[in-house]
Structures are given as structure tokens and as C-alpha cells.
Amino acid sequence: MQEKKIVFFEEGTKDMRALLGGKGAGLAEMTRVGLPVPPGFTVTTAACMEYFARGALADDISLGLERAMARLQEQTGKAFGNPTNPLLVSVRSGAAFSMPGMMDTVLNLGLNNEVVHGLSQLTSPVFALDCYRRFIEKYAEIVLKVPHHHFADCLEERKRQARAFHDHELGSEHLSRLIEQYREIVARFSVRPFPESPWEQLVGAVQAVFDSWQNSRAKVYRKLHGISDAAGTAVNVQAMVFGNLGSTSGTGVCFTRNPSTGAKGLFGEYLASAQGEDVVSGTRTPERVSVMGDFLPEAYGQLLRVASQLETHYRDMQDIEFTVERGKLYLLQTRAGKRSAAAAVRIAVEMLAEGLITTPEALLRVTPEQIELMLHRAVDYKQPLTELTRGLPASPGAATGAIVFDNEGALRLTKAQRKTILLRPETSPDDIQGIIASEGIITSRGGMTSHAAVVARGMGKPCVCGAESVRIDLATRTARIGEHSFVEGDIISLDGQNGKVFLGAVPLVEPEPGREFAHLLSMADDAARLAVRANADNPHDAALAKSFGAKGIGLCRTEHMFMETERLPIMQAMIMAEHEEDRQFALQKLLPMQRSDFTGILKAMNGFPVTIRLLDPPLHEFLPAQHELEAEIAKATTHAARVKAERALRVVEQLHESNPMLGHRGCRLGITAPSVYAMQVEAIADAVFDLLSEGYDPRPEIMIPLVGHHRELIITRRLVESTWGMVEKRRGQRLTVPIGTMIEIPRACLVAGELAKHADFFSFGTNDLTQTTFGFSRDDVEGKFLPAYIAQDILTHNPFAVLDREGVGRLMRLAMTEGRAAKPSLKIGICGEHGGEANSIAFCSELGLDYVSCSPYRVPVARFAAGRALYLGEEQADK
Amino acid sequence: MQEKKIVFFEEGTKDMRALLGGKGAGLAEMTRVGLPVPPGFTVTTAACMEYFARGALADDISLGLERAMARLQEQTGKAFGNPTNPLLVSVRSGAAFSMPGMMDTVLNLGLNNEVVHGLSQLTSPVFALDCYRRFIEKYAEIVLKVPHHHFADCLEERKRQARAFHDHELGSEHLSRLIEQYREIVARFSVRPFPESPWEQLVGAVQAVFDSWQNSRAKVYRKLHGISDAAGTAVNVQAMVFGNLGSTSGTGVCFTRNPSTGAKGLFGEYLASAQGEDVVSGTRTPERVSVMGDFLPEAYGQLLRVASQLETHYRDMQDIEFTVERGKLYLLQTRAGKRSAAAAVRIAVEMLAEGLITTPEALLRVTPEQIELMLHRAVDYKQPLTELTRGLPASPGAATGAIVFDNEGALRLTKAQRKTILLRPETSPDDIQGIIASEGIITSRGGMTSHAAVVARGMGKPCVCGAESVRIDLATRTARIGEHSFVEGDIISLDGQNGKVFLGAVPLVEPEPGREFAHLLSMADDAARLAVRANADNPHDAALAKSFGAKGIGLCRTEHMFMETERLPIMQAMIMAEHEEDRQFALQKLLPMQRSDFTGILKAMNGFPVTIRLLDPPLHEFLPAQHELEAEIAKATTHAARVKAERALRVVEQLHESNPMLGHRGCRLGITAPSVYAMQVEAIADAVFDLLSEGYDPRPEIMIPLVGHHRELIITRRLVESTWGMVEKRRGQRLTVPIGTMIEIPRACLVAGELAKHADFFSFGTNDLTQTTFGFSRDDVEGKFLPAYIAQDILTHNPFAVLDREGVGRLMRLAMTEGRAAKPSLKIGICGEHGGEANSIAFCSELGLDYVSCSPYRVPVARFAAGRALYLGEEQADK
């Protein structure tokens, strides 16, 4: 069936967005339900696509336009091009998806040298001439491609001569002169003469609006928002109404609820005797919409009724444009209103309470990004700010503080009660103290999954990464950003939500999630099929996670525990032990430390599951770097120190790997050095039995990392079971501990059916699974080819941020299906970075996972994403 | 159905191996076809497994044994335990799979203090006493677990007293005394007394043979040969016949064809008046079997007929054990004879010609390992050798030469016309000149897929890796192996087939594959579903591959071409170029060099396809190491040199990757730096059109590496096509070039259906696919955890040597299925190391690949493996 090329407002409905565009569908719907909309019609997206295909307006469209104008003349009782009773129209673009400001609009079309005289008789000379002046300016710019600055310069010169400050202060003589000058400009710079014929004007404007779909800013916008280039735009042709015909006329924009707070009630602005442009241009300051009630009580009353009717009709907060022409209210547009995060939450919760929307709708009205925004301090953009540069929005939230360049500076300044911002080219695990001490982090290199970004997100600290214009000199502890120079202690601010960096202290707004927020999250919990757990390695994080609503710990890494200052030397002694007894000696010293870690975490998560992953990283991560040891050897003053460093160097060289990511770690360590895993299991078991004795309800789960072959799992599981059994015997206590495996390399997915026979649970480690499935090194990819991949549209997202459904996701699905087929009771979760990302959570929910696990600060977002995941339906993803 | 516990020889057939064991099935079959076999029966493997399950002989088995002995007495007309007409039996193990020497045998069972007197009357006292002495010794050892050395010491003392040099020189008195002493030893050391009752002897012997299945050497043997522990062994109880009853008796072993050469005709040894043991113990030297013809013409004639009958019956060369008792021939065993590689080939080809076997059988009678053996020089193990140590058999073949420790030494000595052996801790690309110059390589570190091993196999040079007892001091250019010290120039030898290293020059045997070999390979070619191509990067290797029968080049790497001495600086200049014009300048210098490479290779492979892979490794592989540049900076004498080195260092630092395997390489380079690929394509196209003009038939195929997303392929393919088209235009010539992709990361397999739409062919890169599927770094795995994985039975093979069917293979199957579904004409090959490994080739054939590609020297083995792959049937693999 061929789609219609022209549809009158009274013929369409709100469901015809694809054909009529958003604006056209809105105007049609309002017309259909009997609201006062100036009459008009839509040249559809189908016409647009045909226009693009042919490179010209098809005959049937031209003919249709003629017929439509004839009908519009009938409807309005006015005539196009007739000076005594002129019909003027607006020509506006309107695509299916809102692209604000991206495409073009022409108002007052139908004016020419003759008609303007008629119009001035019907209204006033100043009004008519000003309309005409604006029309020529806009038409020339949009249709005839005359650079705008010619008109702007001319207008400025005219105002100077007229000693006018604002445009509307120009009298009719100046306006007449201006119109002459404008037409001269057109004659000189346009490819075509200015069309006197209204019909020619109309055809040119329609084509120009179609063409504007292809302009570069529209293309960029579409790419950014994932809108198809093949959608096309519609064009709305509508009879003009005028808000600038004196005090009984005016124009305004209003929301049916407050877009900042979400409070119910008409909220908006009104400008008497003005056209929409005047509101937008900011030349006059509009008043609150309620003032209309004083001047135009009838129209205002009608507006209140109409607003309420529209909100009920659309079941969403509306953003309404209207004009009053000589006391009569006209609606020009209605659409779902943009709103702040707080307003989104409040409106969703209140509309649900009002019975206007359903629970699924309420959940879908708020985005996970909005939930996230509400949890962080934000920059108050209403205040004047000096933006220095912009990097990547690596971790949300805003912070202000004194610049520091290293751990030492951060610790010194925080000791002096100052808040600090850590500024570094990039960060490494060495910088962890500085990160902990600081309010926020800025790096000049690295991307969204760089060390700084990952650590900052994990800690809930704001971070801007890859701010490339920041030049840091670590030696002198100075930095330059643009023309500004900084030394340690200088104040700087950042907004991790958008990557902006500001000079000095900026005003911050504290997060106040409030009652509705809590209500929405609990609705999400009720709706979710997925539980949300947290990744936490210490009691503090465990408690924090619980306070955010985590239902357990999905990943407790045990390696961070060995990194602590007093433990590292013992860990190193264990690694460098030449004899088993030396190794045992070191392990026996580590055992009580590990036990107290586990006691703390299990206590904090009392009654909830805690998945403890046995040691994962390669042992060389615990040793000093080769060059450090070489330096140490070079400057050793005693023979003993030298020998010791040399021995360490030998071990480091021996443990060196060309690709540590694919190296000797995870269960591979457990198999070649079982005493470490045995010590860890013993520590867990002792912690558990201590807590049981004290009346707690510890629920440990032991997770074996990096399994790729079922024999690895069998052997490691046997080690865990025998150690656990030994402690049970020693303590005379018993508890069944679930033993499971990470699924983080492709082979594990491929043999999941076999693994499931020996596992009580699976936990997808999608960080490593993404690395191995793509063959991408997470540590390297962002600085190298990933930006080019995004730019060239090979990838739409960084796959370490948003889970790759086609590749990694397919392996996950395979593992799920075959794992559950082999063992229906198998519990399955995910504990990679993706566990806290909404799109990925939606995919996990769709797959049927039991839980996701993410950093504590992301728990609320994850809970919300999990709750709405089921309702995303066919869209699947948010983007 | 319950399986029979006891089966008489006349009741069984050769197809009952699983139940009767190999020996039992052989005896049954010979009995069935009417050959002279001493009567007897088999206690089956089913009885064995029941025995293991119960821990004792079941009543029905005991009862069965009694009944069987009664029947055996009837058949022989002798009586068990009857001194006047004693029945003596042998009790021998016999599993379904041959486990030579692994389990126990008891002869002459049924003797006791009474029976021995009867036997001495029937034969002679010395014979009877000797039988009894041997029986006690063996029975005590095997059944009563008395350590053998007690008897050996006692026998030696007795011989000293008797002034006898050989056992058989002892007279009856000494033997009687010896028997008394033996029984004293038994009384003192045995857990049980020596059973006088023959029946008790029999039950004890049967149980002991069953038990011997579980002894540690049998377990190790089974593990080594992949034999299931659950198979169990059978026990054969057979009436004794005696070859040591004077000159009309004797014993022998013969083959129906020569096991060294394969020549047809009886070949073997005969020892008159002797028992089998005497042949084995080597106390007397047997004569050629044909001497039997002189002494015992009738029995010899019968042996010739029987041998021929057995070969025809079993349709394979037989290894026959026989005994002549007073002129009467008895067959004790027949089985397929072990043979040399050359014999295997000749026998297979000749038996096929004789119509004895079919083509598939002929192909399956020879193993790929035997084909490989025939292509390499071998150590002549018949000569005296001094073995120094043993490492891993990294690359087959044998070599002798002067030790060198580095490139410089290798070049110096080869210049002086000496053959060299490169001895290094391990090798790296820096050692390539030394490897090329040397006859063989020995390393003290590294495994079967270390750099040395891979390069040596690629060059067809013998190599022993990981010979850990070799201590090398590179500084002094000396080495120690055990007690021996070596300096440069000392002669050493190695056998890459078994990993042995020898002192001095050892005699080598040149390979002479011969006529039958060529015939067998051409049979394989006819039978194969897979074509065999070679991996070759230069005209020399291409010609070599063609001479070995390669049907094209499956992988022409382009990176080695840039490593050559005169090209590397240009490549480096290209990489370090700061401006596009500098890069173009360098590329334009590389272009003609690349073109001449391609011209040479395409010419050498005229008429056959040549798959050229665009640049694959990360760019930092072409730059000096960081520490080298640091050293260069430190010792720079001019400002310019210093600046240059500093700049290089900056680039090296910038290109540094934590996991280069997962890094910025392959098509990722092609996408971020398209000018390199464009230059390569231009060089290929120019080479092709030059050759076309000269009347050649070049068949290039362009392969894009490391693709994981279809958009990568689309973009890179577009680049290749547009460059190709540009050259076509410039030259005014046209040729369609197939463009395909490597499939070497898991994601490529997962989206193969999408990739196939944009690819003319797939080539599996199973080296990288194995790395990413397992998460194993090939460079690291062998020195770290792989040995433990093999030892603990997690993996049966190094997955980089033998393709992992369960994981990697599953991904390959997926990619094949979905790729071919999307494009039925898709050509699919493999070009990893697995392409030259027989087990992996069998899998590729089963999957339905079109070709395998391997190093030139492996082409014959691959052709053979491809030919027999189809006939491997249910076994699938060779192991």
C-alpha cells in the first residue's frame, strides 16, 4: 500500500508518528480531539523519501499541495496571496523523532510586496512590515541560501541609525527601508530571485525543509542519537495565527507539571503581544503563565482545561506551545515535556498514584541515567562558570578541590583539612592512596575503562578521563589547561557527568533522592526478575552495598587483601619461597589476616550470600617491577640487600609473561600452587564457623576463577572440599558451602554443560570474556584503536562498557542453555563491569540470569535497570 | 547379557579381543582355523572385572576353572598333578591392547615335589628339575611376592659352586639343591607357604595375573598409550609344550615379512632345544629360522605353510611364536608384527598390490608419524652411542655438528665449511641467522611450541627443546651437560625424533623414501577430500612446497618481508613518520620490494592459489626493544643520535601494549593506518599484472587478518577493492581477486554467518583461536602451567600442537556451518600449526574444510593424513 503524501490535521492521529512526524501527529491528535488548533496539513515523510529518491517534488505531490491549499483557504475563509484577506502559513519540519533545532522553519509565508499592504490594513503597518521583514530574512536564509550575517549586519546598522536598542522598537519607515535593503541583499547573493508568488514560496519552503534533513548538523544529531537516515522528515503547513496583535494577543509555552521538580500544576511562560520567536530570542522577558489569568481570564481558563485534557489524553506531562490571537486561544504544539531527573521520578510515581499510568509505564518513564544523576552531587549550571576543557565523562558526580599531582600531595593537603582533586596523565595501582584521598580525579590520557575510570566508578568518585588539553608536568608539579597555569593547591572543579572541567570552585547541588525515588526503586525491586548484588572486598564496602539495597555480594575479590601495606611483604615472601616450608610459614601468617577479612565481610552481609573468589591475578602482580628491582640492585649498599634484590629479580623474570591476561593465574595457580587456595578456603571456613558460633548467619559461596576445562574444576573443587572438610572435622561444625565457577573465557562457555555438572553456580566474568571473545586487551584498546572503531561505526559502544550481545552475549546464552540443561538448579550471575550498566542488565534479565553484581555505588541504578528490564520488550535496549 | 567367564580356544574367534584379550583371541582364531595350537582356555576380561569388583574370585569362576581343567585333561589325555602323566600349563596375561612386558606369566604350572619326579621319568631329570626350579622362582615372585633377588643371589652362588657359567650347565644335583634352597627362601619370605596342590597353584596364578593389571608399571603404560583402566586383562591357561626336549625340539619367533625392510618371505629366529625364555634372556644366540629346514624339514615346511596361511587369514604381516616338541610344530601366539616405517610403507603397498588389503586399509596400515620418520635423517642406533641428555622431541630428524652459541659463531664456523649445532637457553627472532646457518638446534628451556621448535619445524631442521640439564654460559661461550664440558666448536649430535642429545658425531642414516612411499602418497592424494597447501613467505619456500606436492599457498605472511636487514630501517621510518608524507615516502620505498616478493612467490606457485595475508603483527614488533633504545640514548655521542633515539623511544613507549596478543594488529592496523594495506595491495596487483603480461597464471587471494566484526571486514575489503581497482585502471588490465578473512578469534566464529556475506573464503588461524578460546598465551603457557596440566590429566595434549576439538573445534564447526549457510560457495581452510598435525587434519577433514596449509616440510605428512582421514571412521583420531 502506498502511503499518503499529504494528510490534513483532521485526518491523522497520534499513532501516525512515522508518517506525520512527531509535530504533525501531535497537531492531528489535538485537532481530532477537538482542541483549538489552527488548521493545516502535513506533507508526509513518505513524500520526503520520494523527494530524495527523485531529487525533485513529484507531480502528484505538487498537485496535492495545490489541492490542500485550496482546502485550507476554505477552512480559514482566507485566500493565499490575496491582499484583502491574506492567508499566511507557517512551514515547519517535524521528524518522527524529536531533533530540536536541527531543521528549519519558515513563518509568515505568503507575504509579498502586495500582500504586506493588505495585512497592514487588517492589523497594523508595524506588525505587517515586521512580519514581512522576518519572512524575507528567514526565507532567504533557508530557501535561497543567503548567508544570514548579511541580514544581521544590515539590521544592526538600521537599528543604529534608528537609535533603537531592540528589533521591535523600529518604526514602519525604518522597517520599510530595511525590507528594501533585504531584497537588495537577496538580489545580490541569492542564486534565484525572491519569489513574489506565494505558491512558489511554498514549494521552495517545502523542498528546503526536506533538504534540511540532509544538512550536516542534522546528520550528526541523528548519528549521535541512533536515528535512521532513512526516516525522513515531514513538513507541516499551517495557517498563521498572530500573538503580536496587541494586548489581547500573546504567546506562551507551558508544562502541565513543573519540569524541574515534577510538582503538579501548570508551569510556564507567557509574553503578551508577541510571537514565539520573541520568547526564543530572549529580547523580551516573559512572565509566568499565570499572569494570563489577570488579562485574559477566559483564554487562561481554556488553557488550564486544555492542558489537563492533553495530559490525560497523552498520559504524560505535556510541553504545550500556544498563541492567543485577539483573545482566542490556539494550540500550536504539544509533546511529552523534557524534565529533570527529579521531576521524572516524581511525575512517574505521582501519575501512577493518580491511576494515569501503570507500573511498567512508570518504570519506563525514568531512565537509568536519571537514577544515576539523582545519586550524585551536580554542578549548579545556573551560576556563571568558567569551563576550562572537556574530557570523557568517566564517573558521574561533581567535585571541587585543590589540585594535587600525586599520593604525597593528596595526603599532605587532606591532612590539612583541604579537599583535593587528583590530576594525573593517567593512574595506576600505585596512585590508589591519592585517589582515595581525593574528591575527584582528572586524567589527561585514558578512556572510559582506564584504570582511573574503573576505580573511580567503583568508589563512586567523580572522574574525567582523557582530558587531552591538560598538560601536566609531574616533575615541577604544575599543569596547563589552555591559557591557565596551575600549581599544587590551586582550586579546580569537575563534572564527571559530562566530562567538563571548571576553573575555581563551582557551586554544587547535593543529591536529595527523596521519598519518590525510594518508592520507585522499591517498585523496581518488586518487578525485577534479577537480584542485584554488589562487588565488595571489605566490610566497609559490604555495608555500603547493603545500605544501597544489595541482596548479597556477587564478587568478593581476595587479591586486594594481599595488597595492603603490612601484608604485601608476607605475600611476596610466600611467592619467593624456595622451599615448601617457607611457603607454608608465610601462608600461616596470611591465614589469620584473611580470616578476619572474611569475618568482617560475612558479618556485614549477614543472612545474604557472599561469593568469594579464590586468588585470581598472576603472582607477579604482587612483586615489584623489574626496573625497580634493577634500580635497587644498582644502589644496594650491603651484600645482603643486593642478594635479596637479585633473588627477587630472578623470580620476577621467571614469572614474567608476554601476555599476562592470558597467563598463569586463576585456577591455573590453584592447580600449580594448591597451598594458596587451601589457605584461603581454611580462612573462609574458620571465619564461617566463628560466626556460626556467635549466632550469625554467614552464607559463603566459593568461586573458582578462570576455569576453561571441566578437569580444572574437578581438581580445584576437590581441593576446596577436602580443605573445607578438614576444617569441619577440626571444628566439629558443619555447613554446606556452594562451590561455583567464573565463566570468563570462551572455552568455559563452550563446555558449560560439562562444567555445570561440577558447579553449584556460574558467574559470568564479562570483562575477561569480552577481552578473549574479541581478542581485545582492555588495558590497551582505548588508547589505540577503539576510538577509530567508534568513529568508523564498527562498534557503537565500547564493549567493555556495554555488553556485546552478538558475540559475547551469544556465548553467554550458549553457556546458560547448556549449563541449565545439565543442571536445572544452577544459579547464574554476572560480576563484570557490565553488571552495573543498564543496557547490559536488560540483556542479562532477558537471558534469565539470577543476579547481577556491580560496585556498591551502582546498586541503585542496577536495581532500577533490573526492574524495568522486563518491560523493555521488543526494544530490548535503551538505545 | 552376561559375558562368558571362561572360553575354550576352540570356542572363540579373532573378533572377541575385548573379551578374550589379544593373545586369547589369537589362540582361539588359530585353533578355529585348524592350526596346531596346544589346547587351552581363556579366563575372560569379564571375569577379571568381576574379580576387581568383588575383590575375590567368584564361585562360578572357581567352578568354571575346575570344569575347564577337567576338559583340558580330557583333551590332552594328561592329568593335572598326576606324577605319571602330568598336565603342566602356562598361565599368561593377555589384554585387549598389547602391553608387552607389562604383566606377568607363569610357565610349567602343575609341578610339585611329586610331579617333578614323574616328569623327569618322562623327559629327563635335568629338564624336569630345571622346569621346576624356574616354576618355583617365577611363582614365588609373581604370586607369593617374594623379591626376585633372593633367587638370583642363590642361583649365582650355586653356579659359582658348580663352576657353571650358564644356567643350563647346572647338573641335576645342583638343581635339586637349588630347589631345596628356593623352597627355603619361599618359606622364609612368603606370606603364604608354597602350594603343593596344582589346583591351588592355578587359582593363585590366575588371581596374580589379574592383579598384575593394577601394578604401577601397567598403569603408567596404559596412561601413556591411552588405554582405559576399565578394560581389564584376560588370562590364558594352556597346556605346556616343551622345546627343550633335545635336538628334535626347539623354539622360535618369526615374521611373515621382513620387519625392517618389508620384503616378503619368512624372517625370524630359531633356537634348537630351548624354551622361549632362552631366546628372550639372550643366554644363547638363536639362528636364522631357515636353518630349521636343515634339521626339521617337515616342521619347517609346515611352519612356512602356516605362516602364509596366517598372513592371508589376518591380512597383515604376522609375528608368530612357535615351539617344536619332538618334531611336532605348535603355535603359541600370532599377532600383527611391529615394523619399521619403511617396512610399513612397503608392506602396505605390496599387500594392496597382492589384493590382500584394500586402499583404505593400506592407508591405515601406515601412521603419519612413520611417514614423517621416512623424510628425515635418522641416528643409526645400531652403532655405539654416548647419550648426554634428553629433551623434548621438538622437530624431527638428526644432525651432527660443531656447537655454536650465537649467530656470530654460527656464521663464522659455517663460513669455514663446518656444520654447526646452535645451542641456546632459548631462541628469539634475533637468533634467526644462527638457526638458518645451523644443522640443528638444542635449547635448554622452552617446549614443543617455543620459538625454536616452531621455527625449526617450519624449516625442517631437527630440534631438541627444553633439555634442562644443559647449562649454558653465553658470556664464556661454554656449556655443561652432566659431567661433560663443551666449548664452541666441540662436536655434538641430536635426534629430534626422540629428543636425545649425543656426544660427538654419530652415524646418520639418510632418508630414502623410495618408490612405495611415492605410491602411497599419491594414493593418499586420490583419497583425500582436503587439499594440502603450504605456508610460505618467499619464492624458495614456495618452490620447496611445490616439490613436496603442495597444491598452493594457504598462508603467505607479509611481515617477514619487512624484517630483512635492508628493509627494516625503512619500515621503522614508516612507523615513526610524524607526517603522512613521510609515511608515504617510506611506503613508496617498500612498495617495489614487496612487489618483487610477490612476483617471486606467485611465479613459483604458477597456476596454484597463493593466499597473501596483509600485515598482521603489531607495529612495535618492528622497532627495537625499549631497553636497547635506553642504552642507545645513554651512550649517544652526538646530539642528533640522541634525539633520534629519544624519538624512537617515545614511539616505542606509545606503541607499548600490556597484552600484545590482544593488541593493535591485524585489520585493526589496516583500519587505523590504511596506507600500509593499500601499499601491500598495490604491490600484489602490480606483481600479478606483470606476471599476466609475461604469460604466467598468477592466482592471488588476499586475506584480512584478525577480523572479529563484519564491519571490520566491510571497511577493509572496500580498501582492498578500491586499491585493486585503481591499479587495474592504471594498468588497463583486469583480474578478479578473491578476498577473504582469517577466522582466528572467537567472535569471528560467532558472527561467521555475517562475515561470510563479505568474504570469498575463510581461513582458520587456529594458533590465535586456541590462545583466545582457552585464554592461554602460547608464548607463556609451556614454561608455566601446561606441564602440570598434562601431568594432572587436565589436558591430554598441548592444544597448540593437537587441535582441541571440544572447545576450539566447536567454534570452528559453528563458523563452518553458519558461514556455509550464508554462502554455500565459501572456501574454507586452516593455516595454523595444526594444519600439519595428523589428528587435527583428520578433524578438519571430518568438518569438511577445503584445505589445510602447513609448513613445506610437513606437506607430505599432511597429504598422507588427509588421505587416510576419511577412513579413520568412528575412531576419529589416531589416539
Side-chain angles (χ1 to χ4, degrees), chain A residues 543-556:
Chain A
L544 188 70
K546 207 170 178 181
S547 78
F548 280 130
K551 293 280 181 275
I553 289 177
L555 176 62
C556 171

PDB file of all heavy atoms in Angstrom, chain A residues 543-556:
ATOM      1  N   ALA A 543      29.003  -3.129  53.778  1.00  0.00           N
ATOM      2  CA  ALA A 543      27.955  -2.405  54.499  1.00  0.00           C
ATOM      3  C   ALA A 543      27.315  -1.343  53.602  1.00  0.00           C
ATOM      4  O   ALA A 543      26.093  -1.175  53.563  1.00  0.00           O
ATOM      5  CB  ALA A 543      28.554  -1.757  55.750  1.00  0.00           C
ATOM      6  N   LEU A 544      28.176  -0.655  52.854  1.00  0.00           N
ATOM      7  CA  LEU A 544      27.701   0.366  51.922  1.00  0.00           C
ATOM      8  C   LEU A 544      26.741  -0.263  50.920  1.00  0.00           C
ATOM      9  O   LEU A 544      25.648   0.256  50.641  1.00  0.00           O
ATOM     10  CB  LEU A 544      28.924   0.950  51.205  1.00  0.00           C
ATOM     11  CG  LEU A 544      28.692   2.157  50.324  1.00  0.00           C
ATOM     12  CD1 LEU A 544      28.359   3.369  51.184  1.00  0.00           C
ATOM     13  CD2 LEU A 544      29.940   2.451  49.487  1.00  0.00           C
ATOM     14  N   ALA A 545      27.157  -1.392  50.354  1.00  0.00           N
ATOM     15  CA  ALA A 545      26.343  -2.081  49.351  1.00  0.00           C
ATOM     16  C   ALA A 545      24.990  -2.449  49.938  1.00  0.00           C
ATOM     17  O   ALA A 545      23.946  -2.276  49.301  1.00  0.00           O
ATOM     18  CB  ALA A 545      27.071  -3.327  48.861  1.00  0.00           C
ATOM     19  N   LYS A 546      25.007  -2.918  51.177  1.00  0.00           N
ATOM     20  CA  LYS A 546      23.754  -3.318  51.814  1.00  0.00           C
ATOM     21  C   LYS A 546      22.856  -2.087  51.968  1.00  0.00           C
ATOM     22  O   LYS A 546      21.653  -2.153  51.726  1.00  0.00           O
ATOM     23  CB  LYS A 546      24.060  -3.940  53.180  1.00  0.00           C
ATOM     24  CG  LYS A 546      23.002  -4.919  53.616  1.00  0.00           C
ATOM     25  CD  LYS A 546      23.471  -5.683  54.850  1.00  0.00           C
ATOM     26  CE  LYS A 546      22.387  -6.626  55.327  1.00  0.00           C
ATOM     27  NZ  LYS A 546      22.846  -7.342  56.538  1.00  0.00           N
ATOM     28  N   SER A 547      23.484  -0.948  52.345  1.00  0.00           N
ATOM     29  CA  SER A 547      22.685   0.269  52.521  1.00  0.00           C
ATOM     30  C   SER A 547      22.075   0.723  51.205  1.00  0.00           C
ATOM     31  O   SER A 547      21.045   1.376  51.173  1.00  0.00           O
ATOM     32  CB  SER A 547      23.548   1.377  53.125  1.00  0.00           C
ATOM     33  OG  SER A 547      24.375   1.947  52.118  1.00  0.00           O
ATOM     34  N   PHE A 548      22.700   0.382  50.098  1.00  0.00           N
ATOM     35  CA  PHE A 548      22.146   0.733  48.784  1.00  0.00           C
ATOM     36  C   PHE A 548      21.145  -0.313  48.305  1.00  0.00           C
ATOM     37  O   PHE A 548      20.618  -0.202  47.198  1.00  0.00           O
ATOM     38  CB  PHE A 548      23.261   0.861  47.746  1.00  0.00           C
ATOM     39  CG  PHE A 548      24.003   2.182  47.805  1.00  0.00           C
ATOM     40  CD1 PHE A 548      25.388   2.209  47.836  1.00  0.00           C
ATOM     41  CD2 PHE A 548      23.314   3.387  47.801  1.00  0.00           C
ATOM     42  CE1 PHE A 548      26.081   3.409  47.867  1.00  0.00           C
ATOM     43  CE2 PHE A 548      23.996   4.592  47.833  1.00  0.00           C
ATOM     44  CZ  PHE A 548      25.375   4.605  47.874  1.00  0.00           C
ATOM     45  N   GLY A 549      20.952  -1.337  49.107  1.00  0.00           N
ATOM     46  CA  GLY A 549      19.930  -2.321  48.754  1.00  0.00           C
ATOM     47  C   GLY A 549      20.450  -3.573  48.082  1.00  0.00           C
ATOM     48  O   GLY A 549      19.669  -4.320  47.485  1.00  0.00           O
ATOM     49  N   ALA A 550      21.752  -3.828  48.141  1.00  0.00           N
ATOM     50  CA  ALA A 550      22.295  -5.050  47.522  1.00  0.00           C
ATOM     51  C   ALA A 550      21.807  -6.271  48.279  1.00  0.00           C
ATOM     52  O   ALA A 550      21.705  -6.255  49.503  1.00  0.00           O
ATOM     53  CB  ALA A 550      23.814  -5.005  47.530  1.00  0.00           C
ATOM     54  N   LYS A 551      21.510  -7.326  47.537  1.00  0.00           N
ATOM     55  CA  LYS A 551      20.996  -8.544  48.143  1.00  0.00           C
ATOM     56  C   LYS A 551      22.098  -9.601  48.228  1.00  0.00           C
ATOM     57  O   LYS A 551      21.869 -10.786  47.935  1.00  0.00           O
ATOM     58  CB  LYS A 551      19.823  -9.082  47.311  1.00  0.00           C
ATOM     59  CG  LYS A 551      18.599  -8.185  47.339  1.00  0.00           C
ATOM     60  CD  LYS A 551      17.794  -8.390  48.617  1.00  0.00           C
ATOM     61  CE  LYS A 551      16.533  -7.514  48.641  1.00  0.00           C
ATOM     62  NZ  LYS A 551      16.837  -6.152  49.147  1.00  0.00           N
ATOM     63  N   GLY A 552      23.285  -9.158  48.586  1.00  0.00           N
ATOM     64  CA  GLY A 552      24.400 -10.087  48.711  1.00  0.00           C
ATOM     65  C   GLY A 552      25.612  -9.543  47.990  1.00  0.00           C
ATOM     66  O   GLY A 552      25.565  -8.461  47.392  1.00  0.00           O
ATOM     67  N   ILE A 553      26.699 -10.316  48.080  1.00  0.00           N
ATOM     68  CA  ILE A 553      27.918  -9.940  47.357  1.00  0.00           C
ATOM     69  C   ILE A 553      28.129 -10.959  46.255  1.00  0.00           C
ATOM     70  O   ILE A 553      28.133 -12.167  46.497  1.00  0.00           O
ATOM     71  CB  ILE A 553      29.123  -9.876  48.323  1.00  0.00           C
ATOM     72  CG1 ILE A 553      28.946  -8.657  49.236  1.00  0.00           C
ATOM     73  CG2 ILE A 553      30.434  -9.776  47.560  1.00  0.00           C
ATOM     74  CD1 ILE A 553      30.016  -8.503  50.269  1.00  0.00           C
ATOM     75  N   GLY A 554      28.254 -10.468  45.055  1.00  0.00           N
ATOM     76  CA  GLY A 554      28.431 -11.360  43.909  1.00  0.00           C
ATOM     77  C   GLY A 554      29.882 -11.597  43.585  1.00  0.00           C
ATOM     78  O   GLY A 554      30.216 -12.537  42.870  1.00  0.00           O
ATOM     79  N   LEU A 555      30.736 -10.710  44.086  1.00  0.00           N
ATOM     80  CA  LEU A 555      32.167 -10.879  43.833  1.00  0.00           C
ATOM     81  C   LEU A 555      32.940 -10.244  44.968  1.00  0.00           C
ATOM     82  O   LEU A 555      32.959  -9.019  45.103  1.00  0.00           O
ATOM     83  CB  LEU A 555      32.580 -10.244  42.500  1.00  0.00           C
ATOM     84  CG  LEU A 555      34.090 -10.281  42.195  1.00  0.00           C
ATOM     85  CD1 LEU A 555      34.605 -11.706  42.088  1.00  0.00           C
ATOM     86  CD2 LEU A 555      34.402  -9.521  40.904  1.00  0.00           C
ATOM     87  N   CYS A 556      33.556 -11.101  45.781  1.00  0.00           N
ATOM     88  CA  CYS A 556      34.497 -10.624  46.781  1.00  0.00           C
ATOM     89  C   CYS A 556      35.864 -11.075  46.308  1.00  0.00           C
ATOM     90  O   CYS A 556      36.193 -12.253  46.339  1.00  0.00           O
ATOM     91  CB  CYS A 556      34.156 -11.223  48.149  1.00  0.00           C
ATOM     92  SG  CYS A 556      35.421 -10.898  49.378  1.00  0.00           S
TER      93      CYS A 556
END
